[in-house]
Amino acid sequence: MEVGVHDKGNSSKMSRGFAILGALLVVACSAEQPDGDGNLGPRDPGTEAWELVSKERVATECGLDPDLLEAADEALGFRWAVIRYGKLCHEYYPDGDDPPQEVYSATKTLSAVVTGVAAYRTKGLERDGRKTGPLSDDDRVDHWLDDFDFNPDAQVAHVLAMVAHNDDLSYGARDFSYDDTGIVQINRLNDVVRAAIAQDPENLGADIEELTQRFVFQPLGMKSSIWNEGLPDKPWAYGWYGTVRDMARLGLLILNGGVW
């Protein structure tokens, strides 16, 4: 199924991706694997639980050295996992399990995907005045919001890139500033997305929680994830609690170009 915005032409070019957040690490590489006929295709576990590739088959199925992976366990000392060819090739948990915990700014990756999902799901809507039509990163923010504190000429793309605070948004003049807690700009994307999906709540969800559950958590099998305690609105910068295995699902979705 198509979960969000994707470009199948680019997905085969993406060879590696990673997310690092203090005590967690997910490494995803080579999302596609040749089938019996040598054709490349994205692989994922669907909504089923990950099945860990046995140590005896890691070299054959994943092309990885199991002894080096175990050496990395000792060197890193924190929870981590490796996904290759859409398979869970290795994981390590110092305490023996993988309970949900806050993944802090990795939430920004989740929220960016949710923004993309909203854009993809609204692409067929007609534009007839403000707060109508498909959501696009080219939209001026004031198409969707009545008031905000950053540059009045900012587009959604500027907010996603954390440059909308600049007085000059021209190419080469704008400076990136990491929006740690989202209060400078990116948390307002909650309101942008909420306005966009309000055009068709039956099909898109009544709020951000329902949108995320329907089009991200449920189809990806992210059964251990919760965002902002399940409340209707979300801080775009933080608040996702999840497991390493759930993080791996989101990373693999991105490597597969938005296809699951």
Side-chain angles (χ1 to χ4, degrees):
M1 69 173 295
E2 296 170 331
V3 174
V5 178
H6 67 281
D7 180 350
K8 294 181 181 179
N10 286 335
S11 64
S12 63
K13 299 176 185 176
M14 300 177 69
S15 60
R16 291 186 295 176
F18 60 89
I20 304 176
L21 38 146
L24 299 176
L25 170 66
V26 175
V27 179
C29 50
S30 303
E32 297 182 333
Q33 180 182 36
D35 59 20
D37 298 321
N39 300 313
L40 286 173
R43 305 296 174 93
D44 61 62
T47 58
E48 300 301 316
W50 286 106
E51 291 187 11
L52 180 64
V53 176
S54 67
K55 180 179 178 180
E56 293 73 24
R57 299 196 59 80
V58 164
T60 302
E61 295 189 23
C62 301
L64 299 170
D65 185 326
D67 294 328
L68 288 178
L69 290 170
E70 289 190 354
D73 294 343
E74 183 175 352
L76 290 171
F78 52 71
R79 296 192 285 170
W80 77 301
V82 180
I83 311 298
R84 196 175 197 202
Y85 305 138
K87 300 178 181 180
L88 177 59
C89 295
H90 181 78
E91 60 183 354
Y92 172 69
Y93 308 111
D95 298 326
D97 58 3
D98 181 26
Q101 73 176 53
E102 186 172 7
V103 297
Y104 299 100
S105 282
T107 307
K108 295 177 174 68
T109 301
L110 169 64
S111 60
V113 168
V114 170
T115 305
V117 167
Y120 183 75
R121 295 290 168 180
T122 59
K123 65 180 182 178
L125 299 180
E126 294 186 6
R127 178 156 292 187
D128 182 21
R130 291 186 65 246
K131 301 185 181 182
T132 65
L135 172 62
S136 169
D137 60 353
D138 290 331
D139 289 342
R140 287 176 59 99
V141 175
D142 59 11
H143 177 76
W144 297 105
L145 300 184
D146 296 324
D147 60 84
F148 47 91
D149 297 329
F150 41 86
N151 192 310
D153 294 321
Q155 298 175 338
V156 171
H158 295 131
V159 182
L160 282 165
M162 305 184 206
V163 298
H165 59 279
N166 287 281
D167 293 333
D168 185 351
L169 293 174
S170 60
Y171 186 76
R174 56 203 181 206
D175 293 323
F176 166 79
S177 179
Y178 185 67
D179 196 2
D180 187 10
T181 60
I183 61 174
V184 174
Q185 54 197 290
I186 62 172
N187 286 347
R188 294 307 308 275
L189 289 172
N190 174 90
D191 307 319
V192 170
V193 172
R194 184 177 59 189
I197 66 174
Q199 300 174 88
D200 188 6
E202 181 177 353
N203 291 313
L204 302 177
D207 50 45
I208 306 301
E209 172 68 14
E210 190 172 342
L211 176 77
T212 303
Q213 289 289 348
R214 187 182 298 183
F215 296 111
V216 182
F217 287 169
Q218 292 175 8
L220 269 62
M222 294 173 64
K223 300 174 183 177
S224 298
S225 287
I226 187 169
W227 185 11
N228 193 33
E229 301 180 338
L231 295 174
D233 294 308
K234 314 293 182 186
W236 243 232
Y238 62 91
W240 173 23
Y241 282 74
T243 59
V244 170
R245 286 185 168 203
D246 271 10
M247 291 177 64
R249 290 175 184 267
L250 190 69
L252 187 57
L253 171 73
I254 295 168
L255 278 179
N256 283 350
V259 179
W260 192 262

